[in-house]
Amino acid sequence: MPPKADINKAGWEQSLGDNPFIRMSKQEYGRSCGTCARPFTVFRWNPGSGARFKTTVICQTCAKIKNVCQTCLLDLEYGLPTQVRDTALGLQNEAPTSDINREYYAQNMEGKLDGNKSGLDSGRAASAGKEMLKQLARTDPYYKRNRPHVCSFFAKGECKRGSECPYRHEIPADNELAHQNMQDRYHGRNDPVARKIMAGHAEAQGLKPPDDVSVTSLFLSSLPVTSTEMSIRTQVLQSLPSIQATQLKSIVHVEKTRCAFVNFRERTVAETAAQAWANGLEIDGERVTVKWGRSRPKQPANTAGPSANSIASAAALVRSTNSVLSAKID
């Protein structure tokens, strides 16, 4: 019987490399954790020929809390950024971000996480979100992430090492993907890689944002018979934990046709909702279809002068005025 495939293989193997025999250096309390700022044991290794040395950047407790790799900070099960996973599953980030509380939170969670137990609870997540993650999951390791960094001296035209330089001689791309923050990547906020992945998936599912930026509503169809405006509002807010309730403008439920319009106050919030509901939204145990709303038709400008109705009204007013004047004269 063949060995059981490891579902986390794509998550950790891309950081370790394709060589099954690697040598690691271990340094106890070698650096402070990139999230909780506590000292932890650091591991350093070379993934393979032509790759740069990799090292752990967060402690084991923080990695267990979010179920991510200690090196690349990607989800161990799906190999995706935490913002993509949390958005699809509707998970709320409970870890504090302030310097005062994060160390205290990590100490409390360390006592609750025994062994290989993860602090991520996705058992109650909707099936639409899990289906979305399965479509986006990377099944094979992505060893391109282990390449050396770009040589900063080569970008300035000052590198004199030539072929002996251990860094890549390429012109770095100046875009938002080149500016990533460890804290944002770990907590799943403002991650440019996650935004690119979710935007591409939403467009592939037919939820490309319309060109009219004034459109801030999403159309839900095939709603269950038992759905009400309150149940729709509750499910919308539960599936979007990163959105405040005040950012939801209104919900228009048409019970006769079993459809509803979800209106948001800002276009960016509507785009976030469309990306999270790319595979549908579950309401009262049934999956409903999500589409972008349509822009309102513009009223044609009145450039042909006064209308016939206004002319007729003016003529009637003149006739009534003349009749009153003639009656007074008589």
Side-chain angles (χ1 to χ4, degrees):
M1 183 177 180
K4 182 179 179 181
D6 193 343
I7 60 175
N8 298 333
K9 184 177 181 180
W12 52 260
E13 188 176 342
Q14 66 181 1
S15 296
L16 294 178
D18 54 351
N19 185 7
F21 305 100
I22 59 175
R23 299 178 63 182
M24 286 189 177
S25 63
K26 177 181 177 181
Q27 183 181 6
E28 295 185 359
Y29 307 109
R31 61 182 296 181
S32 60
C33 177
T35 58
C36 67
R38 298 187 307 164
F40 73 104
T41 302
V42 178
F43 293 90
R44 190 171 182 267
W45 68 95
N46 190 342
S49 177
R52 71 177 188 272
F53 275 86
K54 307 296 289 290
T55 182
T56 52
V57 295
I58 63 174
C59 65
Q60 195 176 56
T61 302
C62 293
K64 289 181 180 180
I65 292 174
K66 301 286 286 188
N67 193 34
V68 295
C69 175
Q70 289 185 254
T71 303
C72 62
L73 304 184
L74 296 178
D75 180 73
L76 290 177
E77 184 174 355
Y78 300 101
L80 297 171
T82 56
Q83 184 173 346
V84 177
R85 181 200 62 195
D86 295 348
T87 303
L89 300 179
L91 301 178
Q92 187 174 6
N93 182 23
E94 299 179 354
T97 57
S98 62
D99 297 338
I100 301 176
N101 297 327
R102 60 184 182 180
E103 184 175 353
Y104 175 76
Y105 176 80
Q107 290 178 355
N108 291 341
M109 292 299 297
E110 187 175 8
K112 297 179 181 179
L113 301 177
D114 298 331
N116 295 326
K117 182 180 178 181
S118 173
L120 187 68
D121 184 14
S122 59
R124 299 181 180 179
S127 59
K130 293 182 179 180
E131 180 181 342
M132 173 181 172
L133 292 179
K134 289 181 180 179
Q135 294 177 359
L136 296 175
R138 188 183 296 274
T139 56
D140 297 325
Y142 185 66
Y143 297 126
K144 193 176 180 180
R145 294 182 54 88
N146 300 332
R147 295 184 303 170
H149 292 295
V150 176
C151 180
S152 59
F153 290 93
F154 178 80
K156 301 176 184 178
E158 301 176 356
C159 184
K160 300 180 181 180
R161 294 186 178 183
S163 60
E164 297 180 357
C165 182
Y167 299 97
R168 297 197 330 249
H169 281 190
E170 299 177 3
I171 301 299
D174 189 11
N175 51 27
E176 64 174 3
L177 299 180
H179 304 281
Q180 300 184 35
N181 185 279
M182 183 186 301
Q183 291 285 342
D184 293 342
R185 191 174 184 85
Y186 176 80
H187 293 287
R189 61 189 182 191
N190 301 325
D191 189 352
V193 178
R195 287 198 299 266
K196 181 180 179 181
I197 293 175
M198 292 189 296
H201 180 70
E203 184 175 349
Q205 298 295 328
L207 284 175
K208 181 180 179 180
D211 298 332
D212 188 1
V213 294
S214 63
V215 178
T216 59
S217 61
L218 295 176
F219 177 69
L220 309 181
S221 60
S222 303
L223 291 172
V225 181
T226 58
S227 296
T228 61
E229 181 180 347
M230 184 57 65
S231 64
I232 297 174
R233 179 184 295 271
T234 303
Q235 188 60 37
V236 166
L237 295 177
Q238 287 181 354
S239 62
L240 301 172
S242 60
I243 294 179
Q244 301 294 331
T246 55
Q247 295 176 316
L248 181 60
K249 185 177 181 180
S250 63
I251 292 180
V252 181
H253 180 214
V254 185
E255 186 176 357
K256 184 177 180 181
T257 56
R258 295 171 57 190
C259 64
F261 290 91
V262 182
N263 303 316
F264 298 93
R265 296 188 182 276
E266 299 177 1
R267 173 60 178 263
T268 55
V269 179
E271 292 180 358
T272 302
Q275 295 170 2
W277 302 338
N279 287 70
L281 174 65
E282 288 192 7
I283 297 179
D284 295 340
E286 297 184 16
R287 189 181 303 186
V288 301
T289 306
V290 182
K291 297 292 182 183
W292 272 99
R294 297 180 181 179
S295 57
R296 295 180 179 179
K298 297 181 180 180
Q299 297 294 338
N302 190 7
T303 58
S307 62
N309 293 335
S310 61
I311 295 176
S313 300
L317 180 61
V318 170
R319 286 195 298 267
S320 61
T321 305
N322 292 335
S323 61
V324 171
L325 291 176
S326 60
K328 288 183 178 181
I329 294 173
D330 294 341

